[in-house]
Amino acid sequence: MTFLGGIPLKQSTELAQLLKSLDGQKYGAYKRLKGEYQFKQFRLAIDHAQVDPYAPPSKMRVIINRETANIPNDLLDSKNKEIAVSDFLTRAFRESIESFKRNDQYSKSVRNIFIDHCGQEILERTSVVINKHDIEVRLEIGLPAAGRKILGKVAAHILIDTLPKIVADALLYQNMNQAELKNQVTLMLDQVFIREELERRQLVSFVANGAILPRQSGVSDKLLSDAVAFHSPESVEITMTLPSGKTISGMGIPKGITLIVGGGFHGKSTILEALERGVYNHIDNDGREYVITAHDAMKIRAEDGRHIEKVNISPFINNLPGNKDTHQFSTENASGSTSQATNVMEALEADTSLLLIDEDTSATNFMIRDSRMQQLIAPEKEPITPFAGKVKPLYEDYGVSTILIVGGSGDYFEAADHVLMMDEYVLKDVTENAKSIAASEESKKQMTIEGHFGDIPNRTPLKSSFSKKGKENRFKVKGKDTILYGKERIEISGLEQLVDHSQTQCLAEMLDYYQQHLLNDQDTLFEATNKLYDVIEKRGLDAISSFKGHPGNLALPRKQEFCATLNRYRGLKVKNK
């Protein structure tokens, strides 16, 4: 007999008998299944049985001993390796479900078995959790019914007959594609090394020669197979020897200000999109496996209509009509320029070291002001200092680098350290050309670089920001781009580096934990964020979940996205300075 905590475990045979006995009963009787059952190779924990066939699926966990799974310990002896293996097992479990769907004998019994979906990125997830003794897989299973009557025999076929086959197929090392598993772990360690090497070499990003950057379409993140492969200009090409023993060459973008220029449709935005996704590690054959960007890099864009709460945007905007204070600027309906200025300042407040900006998604008057407009509008009548005049002091004062995609203005040539041109998806170094143009007398008149950047915000959120009671004091997710606090919407579509619905789900759980346990009217936004991530680092993502025992659909976002989400909550209140 098997025991758990000194209590004898029910056997799978008992679960089978119970399911058959429930056949034909009212659907609510499924709640009698709750508990843990011992199968031959694993335990099945039924944490929550849905009360209605149209309710969200029942929550279950497959718990298999590491000795039974027999995955070599040298693939699991660090956190990075655990994340890589967890991602691999999530994909393997999902693929096993899909393969059974393609088998007519099992297709009906697996169509309601769900596990979290992984994209091209490798994220820290809760779908598969690995600890010292066990591997735990979190599933959702829709229990079958005819109307509102239990189909007990069908449920027994799903849980007793089919599920063990999926478990054996996906979780037993002897049945896995062992070479692919080892390759994923090796790739992950190489990617981690490159990201650490960036800092050692004073770089902000790396793009390997041979990388495939274009995607299949706007709705598919998979590589475009016939695309032109990336190759670095010789002037910025570097070579690394990776922990795997592999030697790799590619473009190393130095700290400072880098422009990527070129005509329309030549690939400028494509390379920026790859760089902004480079904050994550990618799976093999993605094409961007070796596109690695500083983990805290933040994509900045204009975001008309967003909420702003007491943000210091004075480095960019001053002397507003009506003497409106831009040292603590607030609005419920930001313009393009005020929103982009705010997004920069909030990213700096969240401790980003690299800004990624595309002129196509920027406010023109925030980015540039040409010489003719300067002559027409007197300086004292123009409240905006363009980013072109601040990008250099931002790096000199705070060490924050910027990569800019520009095709319509040369105002950044003077401030740039490197200017690279995309020409039919081929990158060329045109720094000398750009500097020569910037040095001409005509160009000098057009651009004024400020001496100092200004102060970065350091705000303290107030507990009164979250004052809802009862059922209204809950966070729910509505798609990838919206979180509901009660009935109040928090729109996060402007956070373009969020890649997964499960990251949004995690943000909702993090907001709930933050307002319940960390908000104290004393800690600054970033201090509280660090405390939140310390909890996750020490106790895992489960620690911040409101559903104890089965948070199977969480994927960790970055600190920058958490801060940005809180900033977009329209009820946010911060201390006056």
Side-chain angles (χ1 to χ4, degrees), residues 126-138:
T126 57
S127 50
V128 175
V129 175
I130 302 169
N131 58 43
K132 290 181 180 180
H133 304 292
D134 299 312
I135 297 172
E136 186 173 294
V137 181
R138 282 82 179 268

Side-chain angles (χ1 to χ4, degrees), residues 349-367:
E349 184 181 29
D351 204 31
T352 190
S353 65
L354 172 63
L355 303 179
L356 305 170
I357 302 178
D358 189 337
E359 68 175 2
D360 286 351
T361 55
S362 295
T364 301
N365 59 342
F366 174 79
M367 296 295 287

Side-chain angles (χ1 to χ4, degrees), residues 257 315 369 374 385-397 410-417 435 438 443-453:
I257 297 102
R369 187 166 70 254
Q374 290 178 39
T385 300
F387 189 70
K390 287 288 189 176
V391 65
K392 194 74 173 181
L394 175 58
Y395 180 65
E396 292 173 344
D397 292 355
D411 278 8
Y412 287 87
F413 287 177
E414 188 172 7
D417 298 303
K435 289 297 183 181
S443 294
K444 282 183 178 179
K445 295 175 185 177
Q446 295 183 12
M447 187 62 230
T448 302
I449 295 177
E450 298 287 311
H452 298 284
F453 180 78

Side-chain angles (χ1 to χ4, degrees), residues 66-100:
R66 278 179 52 166
E67 290 184 3
T68 303
N70 200 32
I71 298 174
N73 288 330
D74 64 357
L75 296 180
L76 293 167
D77 57 8
S78 73
K79 182 171 182 180
N80 286 322
K81 290 180 180 180
E82 285 183 3
I83 292 172
V85 173
S86 173
D87 175 273
F88 183 89
L89 295 181
T90 300
R91 295 174 194 273
F93 209 98
R94 188 178 183 89
E95 176 52 36
S96 183
I97 294 169
E98 294 300 318
S99 68
F100 276 95

Side-chain angles (χ1 to χ4, degrees), residues 1-14:
M1 181 174 290
T2 306
F3 291 82
L4 182 66
I7 300 173
L9 268 180
K10 298 174 185 177
Q11 300 298 303
S12 60
T13 52
E14 295 177 74

Side-chain angles (χ1 to χ4, degrees), residues 46 57 111 120 142 177 192 202 223 242 245 261 293 295 321 330 345 365 372 387 417 428 431 446 459 503 506 548:
I46 301 177
R111 64 186 177 188
Q120 300 296 100
N177 188 322
V192 169
Q202 297 293 296
L223 64 81
L242 306 180
V261 304
T293 303
H295 183 64
S330 299
M345 300 308 291
N365 59 342
R372 290 178 177 178
F387 189 70
D417 298 303
K428 303 173 182 178
T431 304
Q446 295 183 12
R459 296 167 299 152
Q503 287 179 300
C506 193
K548 303 305 178 186

